[in-house]
Amino acid sequence: QSVLTQPPSVSAAPGQKVIISCSGSSSNIGNNYVSWYQQLPGTAPKLLMYENDKRPSGIPDRFSGSKSGTSATLGITGLQTGDEADYYCGTWDSSLSPGYVFGTGTKVTVL
Amino acid sequence: EVQLLESGGGLVQPGGSLRLSCAASGFRFSDYAMRWVRQAPGKGLEYVSGISSSGDTIYTDSVKGRFTISRDTSKNMLYLQMNTLRAEDTAVYYCAKVLSPSSSGIDYWGQGTLVTVSS
């Protein structure tokens, strides 16, 4: 059972914008960096965002990240059909059972 | 180019054992923490275990006492010994490289190896 909550799905038309939320607590998001991962169908996850708002090389600036308190968000502008995928947030959790935790995942659908 | 190549998955009966391997290349393996992450069919990502560059290990509660993570820096290899396997361990297992000592994100993933626990 994931400790990070994401909406199960979001959708928008091509060219539009979607925002995916990731809600946690002080033991995880509140005191640690957040990363975001994109998983295209049938493939391994790929790093999309790290340290809350940094994009790895090769990731277009249509993708943006932010963090406030115990929540984080991923934004995708200029939505493309190739963006249809599952998106997961992730961060370190410093609770009694420490470890890396992932969000529940959000399916992005391009209408 | 960073590459992570898993092997060792397959079909195993409940209660059985399996050893996963991950061959790492393209980076200084000894300098980075590594993790195993799994994904059950149709489900989300789940952290299984991690090992620091110095060999410290962490396990998710559901695999403690059953799984053992290890690394061989002389061979650039990461391992996951899985014992007393259960049906709920059925998943694709990914080998993953941690971004940096100060950042917990995962910057590279292997292609995954499927473990099926069934009689």
Side-chain angles (χ1 to χ4, degrees):
Chain A
Q1 186 175 355
S2 176
V3 298
L4 305 180
T5 303
Q6 300 179 231
S9 63
V10 297
S11 61
Q16 297 301 303
K17 175 180 180 179
V18 294
I19 294 177
I20 302 170
S21 61
C22 175
S23 178
S25 68
S26 59
S27 69
N28 42 67
I29 291 178
N31 284 284
N32 294 286
Y33 286 128
V34 176
S35 296
W36 289 90
Y37 306 92
Q38 177 193 59
Q39 187 175 31
L40 298 169
T43 69
K46 171 185 173 182
L47 181 65
L48 205 59
M49 201 73 56
Y50 68 99
E51 293 179 6
N52 305 331
D53 57 7
K54 295 181 174 62
R55 282 177 284 106
S57 61
I59 302 300
D61 58 7
R62 300 188 296 106
F63 296 89
S64 63
S66 66
K67 187 186 101 167
S68 178
T70 59
S71 294
T73 60
L74 174 73
I76 310 174
T77 60
L79 204 59
Q80 301 176 1
T81 56
D83 297 331
E84 276 209 348
D86 294 320
Y87 292 81
Y88 296 90
C89 57
T91 188
W92 190 260
D93 189 286
S94 310
S95 64
L96 289 177
S97 294
Y100 199 76
V101 290
F102 292 97
T104 49
T106 299
K107 170 68 176 177
V108 170
T109 300
V110 181
L111 301 173
Chain B
E1 179 192 6
V2 171
Q3 290 193 336
L4 300 171
L5 186 61
E6 304 98 333
S7 60
L11 175 63
V12 61
Q13 293 187 339
S17 299
L18 216 52
R19 188 199 199 200
L20 305 184
S21 300
C22 172
S25 61
F27 64 102
R28 193 179 176 96
F29 180 72
S30 59
D31 287 350
Y32 292 89
M34 299 292 293
R35 295 176 183 151
W36 287 99
V37 176
R38 68 185 178 185
Q39 187 169 36
K43 303 297 185 182
L45 302 173
E46 180 187 24
Y47 171 85
V48 174
S49 180
I51 185 167
S52 71
S53 56
S54 59
D56 296 326
T57 60
I58 291 181
Y59 301 92
T60 192
D61 286 347
S62 63
V63 308
K64 283 179 182 175
R66 300 189 300 123
F67 290 11
T68 302
I69 189 172
S70 62
R71 65 193 299 164
D72 185 338
T73 54
S74 68
K75 297 180 180 179
N76 288 354
M77 294 292 294
L78 178 72
Y79 303 102
L80 185 67
Q81 178 65 44
M82 304 185 296
N83 298 330
T84 318
L85 282 161
R86 306 166 180 167
E88 54 264 36
D89 296 318
T90 294
V92 173
Y93 285 72
Y94 294 103
C95 167
K97 171 188 170 292
V98 177
L99 180 62
S100 75
S102 59
S103 183
S104 65
I106 295 170
D107 57 350
Y108 288 96
W109 302 69
Q111 85 289 347
T113 187
L114 176 62
V115 172
T116 303
V117 184
S118 174
S119 55

